[in-house]
Amino acid sequence: MDIVKENPFVLGVTCFSSLGGLLFGYDQGVVSGIITMENFAVRFPRVYMDSDYKGWFVSTFLLCAWFGSLINGQITDRMGRKNSMIVAVVIFLLGSSLQTTALSIPMIFAGRAVAGLSVGMLTMVVPLYMAEISPAEIRGSLVVLQQLSITIGILLAFWIDYGANYIGGTRCWPDQPYANGVSFNPYTDVGDGPCQQSSAAWRVPFGLQLLPALVLGVGMLFMPYSPRWLVMRGRDAEAREALCRIRRRAEDDPVIIEEFIGIKAEVLFEHSQHEEKYGSATGAKLEWAQYREIVSNPSSFRRVFIGSAVMFFQQFMGCNALIYYAPTIFAQLGLDSNTNSLLATGVYGIINCLATFIALALIDKIGRRVLLMVGAIGTMISLLFVAGIVGSYQASLPMHPVAGWASVVFIYLYDVNFAYSWAPIGWVLPSEIFPLAIRSKGISITTSATWMCNFIIGLVSPRMLESITYGTYIFFAIFCLLAFFFTLFVIPETRGKSLEEMDLAFNDNTAHEDKQRIIMITSTLEEEFFGDEGRRHASGSSTPRSEDFELQFRENA
């Protein structure tokens, strides 16, 4: 807290950057309520009625987000983190506008695709920008803060859906009973005159996401470039100016000088790694060589495997299936109207958000493994109870109200257990296990893994809920059990571990060797900089030249 008080700019950076996570969470949550609204059903009946088509409607966003997270690495290195975020916001505004004003299936699918592309870009660059611009003291907590921002976005979306559902009325033709006596069918339940529920019921929730996107985009115009990216581009003087602005200190302040030397040392280390391993390879050739080495090196592959597996279990334990289709699920559990199911969904969002604070309180006290194992068992038991209740009433619908609400309670218990364990730790763990030399590539692989698994779950869940009903919960419960055993036997504890201790957990010394080389480079830079500081000030130059660093490093390396 003190570091934030000393530098209020850090708080501004955190707030603006976390809006990228909020956009992701909002779109996750908002679509679940929209696809159950009657006016939306009249406008897009196939999306409403066809399970497979509904899955594609939800998952188009996710597939394009996966693609966006993959391609944004090269964009952020060339354009910069700040400019990449602004570009992503512009793309998001276009996608959201298409969804808000959609008049046809191709138009709304195009909006989903464009918005997904931008969110994928943001989920890749926002944590990177936060890490590079923030003080080391708060860097770790920002990872969990991103998950908290996602849950806040989901919470806002659920309750906005609930309120917007009343615009013009909750039904299209309230005086006309449903043909099947249970639910609305846009093909058979069409009455005289236009639908009474306004199209604003679903257009407003889509359109409101333009506001945080605009705030993020406009705010980033006033944010500095990442000092690390500026050093990577050889713009050392600008990098020091950016550090001074961020830290609110003078250019000759020892804190600024030490941090600049640390950034420069890391960049030189990466350059030396590239030259030793890949020679003059650049662009796509360099990218391919780096990914190939990660897969071929047993220790690196194990780290990537664990990080990707954590993301896999995070999705296949059913979290996003419940978020994307929560109103549909609650309706199947016996809630007697779309309004009630949206209300229950809103409560789910509150629980999801509040339970994330448990992770903030415990993740650095009792460790990652304990939370993961307890969360896996808690989610499994909750899902099995839901499966048992739904299965026992499958042949004698409608479900008894008491049984329906009991199922809702166990869904909420699932939410609690997932929100303090696999939801945040799925993002934290991959950020901790990779040594510097492969960190960016390793995290890009794990991020793309979560998007691809997210896409699969979003695509198949509607069909599963329709065809195997209670079996859907058993399916997810099995993966919860597998996640428990995977944590027990495979995942190492990373709480409070140094680089050397992390090496021991993975039976190699990669991180230790990286650290020693960075120490050597830093010592060289400090000797060159501080040893000649008097001459620099006498000559009127307060900025060390990049070529001096490069020459001194190569002479001593």
Side-chain angles (χ1 to χ4, degrees):
M1 201 60 191
D2 290 338
I3 190 68
V4 175
K5 291 180 180 179
E6 291 174 9
N7 187 0
F9 188 80
V10 171
L11 181 61
V13 170
T14 302
C15 293
F16 277 119
S17 300
S18 65
L19 285 175
L22 186 141
L23 291 176
F24 170 36
Y26 185 90
D27 197 277
Q28 270 191 309
V30 78
V31 71
S32 66
I34 285 175
I35 58 178
T36 66
M37 295 181 183
E38 293 192 7
N39 187 283
F40 183 84
V42 172
R43 173 70 68 175
F44 307 107
R46 189 175 177 186
V47 175
Y48 184 85
M49 295 297 295
D50 189 326
S51 302
D52 294 329
Y53 210 69
K54 184 185 298 182
W56 275 109
F57 175 75
V58 171
S59 298
T60 296
F61 176 93
L62 304 172
L63 183 62
C64 291
W66 167 78
F67 181 69
S69 68
L70 284 181
I71 66 171
N72 205 36
Q74 288 285 334
I75 296 173
T76 55
D77 283 344
R78 294 181 182 181
M79 296 183 58
R81 284 61 163 142
K82 170 181 172 177
N83 289 337
S84 173
M85 291 173 67
I86 294 173
V87 169
V89 167
V90 172
I91 296 173
F92 184 86
L93 292 173
L94 173 61
S96 296
S97 298
L98 286 172
Q99 293 180 88
T100 304
T101 59
L103 300 174
S104 64
I105 287 287
M107 189 174 178
I108 199 166
F109 266 80
R112 297 289 297 164
V114 173
L117 179 70
S118 64
V119 168
M121 295 172 66
L122 287 170
T123 56
M124 181 271 164
V125 70
V126 167
L128 179 63
Y129 181 79
M130 287 195 297
E132 291 184 354
I133 208 169
S134 300
E137 295 89 339
I138 62 172
R139 222 170 262 163
S141 62
L142 289 179
V143 180
V144 177
L145 180 62
Q146 178 184 339
Q147 175 61 30
L148 179 62
S149 181
I150 292 172
T151 64
I152 292 173
I154 294 170
L155 171 63
L156 290 174
F158 283 166
W159 284 100
I160 287 171
D161 276 349
Y162 175 73
N165 188 55
Y166 285 96
I167 300 177
T170 60
R171 290 191 55 187
C172 278
W173 295 279
D175 297 331
Q176 179 173 316
Y178 297 139
N180 62 9
V182 178
S183 60
F184 179 69
N185 185 321
Y187 296 113
T188 61
D189 296 330
V190 178
D192 297 329
C195 174
Q196 289 191 20
Q197 185 181 54
S198 172
S199 65
W202 57 271
R203 294 190 192 275
V204 167
F206 269 142
L208 284 177
Q209 61 189 336
L210 294 167
L211 298 179
L214 281 171
V215 172
L216 177 61
V218 173
M220 287 310 302
L221 292 174
F222 301 95
M223 297 294 109
Y225 288 101
S226 161
R228 191 176 192 278
W229 177 78
L230 290 170
V231 173
M232 289 171 59
R233 308 300 291 184
R235 296 157 61 176
D236 289 8
E238 294 177 62
R240 290 188 73 184
E241 289 175 5
L243 274 177
C244 292
R245 181 184 173 195
I246 295 167
R247 303 291 177 250
R248 295 295 193 265
R249 294 176 182 268
E251 191 171 346
D252 58 355
D253 191 300
V255 173
I256 296 297
I257 296 173
E258 289 293 338
E259 185 169 0
F260 175 79
I261 289 175
I263 294 171
K264 186 71 179 180
E266 285 194 5
V267 172
L268 287 176
F269 167 76
E270 291 184 0
H271 287 171
S272 67
Q273 288 273 306
H274 291 171
E275 289 184 6
E276 290 174 8
K277 295 180 179 180
Y278 314 116
S280 60
T282 58
K285 185 178 180 181
L286 175 62
E287 293 283 321
W288 171 250
Q290 290 173 323
Y291 282 115
R292 184 175 57 191
E293 183 185 356
I294 290 175
V295 175
S296 61
N297 182 289
S299 174
S300 298
F301 179 77
R302 185 187 172 205
R303 297 174 196 243
V304 169
F305 172 72
I306 289 176
S308 300
V310 169
M311 291 299 198
F312 168 83
F313 284 118
Q314 187 191 61
Q315 299 303 319
F316 274 79
M317 291 168 70
C319 64
N320 283 329
L322 269 66
I323 291 172
Y324 295 139
Y325 306 108
T328 303
I329 291 171
F330 286 129
Q332 290 181 345
L333 297 180
L335 300 190
D336 56 5
S337 72
N338 185 51
T339 302
N340 283 342
S341 65
L342 287 173
L343 177 61
T345 301
V347 175
Y348 182 96
I350 293 175
I351 295 171
N352 186 38
C353 184
L354 294 179
T356 305
F357 286 96
I358 300 175
L360 285 171
L362 299 180
I363 192 169
D364 287 322
K365 291 183 179 179
I366 67 176
R368 283 67 162 147
R369 279 167 48 86
V370 173
L371 288 176
L372 288 175
M373 288 189 288
V374 173
I377 294 299
T379 52
M380 181 192 70
I381 293 174
S382 301
L383 289 171
L384 289 178
F385 270 102
V386 176
I389 295 172
V390 174
S392 64
Y393 278 92
Q394 183 169 317
S396 56
L397 292 176
M399 184 179 296
H400 191 280
V402 174
W405 281 108
S407 299
V408 171
V409 169
F410 281 111
I411 290 289
Y412 290 157
L413 289 175
Y414 165 91
D415 188 17
V416 171
N417 282 280
F418 188 84
Y420 70 69
S421 58
W422 288 85
I425 298 176
W427 295 102
V428 172
L429 196 68
S431 71
E432 298 176 322
I433 61 178
F434 294 112
L436 178 63
I438 64 168
R439 184 168 298 153
S440 61
K441 296 296 182 295
I443 293 177
S444 72
I445 293 173
T446 58
T447 302
S448 64
T450 194
W451 278 118
M452 181 52 66
C453 294
N454 203 338
F455 162 71
I456 294 170
I457 291 299
L459 183 63
V460 304
S461 293
R463 175 58 65 185
M464 292 173 63
L465 289 167
E466 183 180 272
S467 59
I468 63 175
T469 58
Y470 72 93
T472 306
Y473 306 103
I474 296 176
F475 174 84
F476 291 136
I478 290 172
F479 281 101
C480 294
L481 182 62
L482 293 175
F484 170 82
F485 286 114
F486 184 84
T487 305
L488 180 64
F489 294 114
V490 179
I491 297 179
E493 180 56 67
T494 60
R495 176 177 64 95
K497 287 193 183 302
S498 66
L499 292 173
E500 290 79 4
E501 291 171 327
M502 198 71 72
D503 278 350
L504 184 63
F506 287 94
N507 299 316
D508 74 354
N509 62 347
T510 303
H512 177 72
E513 292 177 352
D514 289 352
K515 183 177 180 181
Q516 294 306 311
R517 292 195 65 179
I518 291 176
I519 290 175
M520 183 271 291
I521 297 170
T522 302
S523 298
T524 301
L525 297 178
E526 287 177 341
E527 181 181 350
E528 191 275 340
F529 183 83
F530 289 110
D532 202 25
E533 185 70 10
R535 179 178 64 81
R536 290 192 186 282
H537 282 289
S539 64
S541 172
S542 62
T543 304
R545 292 182 300 149
S546 177
E547 57 267 28
D548 290 344
F549 282 135
E550 298 281 355
L551 179 60
Q552 188 73 13
F553 164 68
R554 296 186 189 283
E555 288 176 352
N556 290 275

